[in-house]
Amino acid sequence: TSMKGYGYLKKAIMFCLEDPRMQKNLVDGLYSIIAKEYGSSWQNVERNIKEIRNGKYQIIVNQIKNI
């Protein structure tokens, strides 16, 4: 769900700020660590983060079109 996605995204940003190398290994590193912390799978973490990213992107595109 989108609420989970926000939590996952927030955690991902925090991890990447602490250790920028996390960005280079998303599946085995970042997503797996977050999944373990939340009792989920890396696939769910990835999907929920992408849903948030894609949803926000679409909102921005729509706002630009209305200018």
Side-chain angles (χ1 to χ4, degrees):
T1 66
S2 63
M3 293 307 292
K4 284 184 182 179
Y6 281 112
Y8 296 158
L9 182 58
K10 180 180 174 183
K11 186 61 84 170
I13 291 169
M14 290 171 52
F15 277 130
C16 289
L17 288 173
E18 290 173 11
D19 183 0
R21 295 174 293 172
M22 295 288 267
Q23 298 173 53
K24 294 184 179 184
N25 190 7
L26 294 178
V27 172
D28 292 331
L30 186 63
Y31 294 162
S32 294
I33 292 168
I34 294 169
K36 186 179 283 189
E37 188 170 317
Y38 283 89
S40 187
S41 69
W42 69 263
Q43 294 94 337
N44 286 337
V45 171
E46 180 183 43
R47 182 183 68 245
N48 281 291
I49 288 175
K50 284 182 177 181
E51 285 177 4
I52 293 299
R53 181 195 66 202
N54 293 340
K56 289 294 181 187
Y57 174 78
Q58 191 58 46
I59 290 169
I60 293 168
V61 169
N62 289 338
Q63 289 174 343
I64 290 171
K65 287 180 182 178
N66 292 328
I67 293 177

